[in-house]
Amino acid sequence: MNSDLSYESAFEELQQIAADLENESVPVDILADKIKRASFLVEFCQKKLRSAETEVSKILRKWDEK
């Protein structure tokens, strides 16, 4: 479903949802859906960041070993 979702596109969508919520431009009928989507996007971005942090740490440890 979201296999082509990148961190950048997820973050951009999350920013748009936040802006819509701040501007009160989200109809009440779809508010819950927007919140669910935002929750998914936050979790997705957090996983991506943790994964990148792990990879960077591995690389740095290898450099330190040399």
Side-chain angles (χ1 to χ4, degrees), residues 1-55:
M1 177 173 135
N2 290 302
S3 62
D4 60 341
L5 186 63
S6 68
Y7 175 86
E8 290 78 13
S9 62
F11 188 71
E12 185 177 306
E13 184 179 350
L14 189 55
Q15 287 180 309
Q16 185 59 54
I17 291 171
D20 290 346
L21 292 172
E22 287 174 1
N23 295 332
E24 299 179 4
S25 63
V26 177
V28 172
D29 294 333
I30 63 167
L31 182 60
D33 292 336
K34 288 286 187 178
I35 298 298
K36 286 178 191 175
R37 180 65 177 169
S39 177
F40 167 81
L41 293 169
V42 166
E43 186 176 331
F44 176 85
C45 288
Q46 287 174 334
K47 286 179 183 178
K48 285 285 193 177
L49 288 172
R50 280 192 294 268
S51 176
E53 181 180 29
T54 299
E55 288 300 312

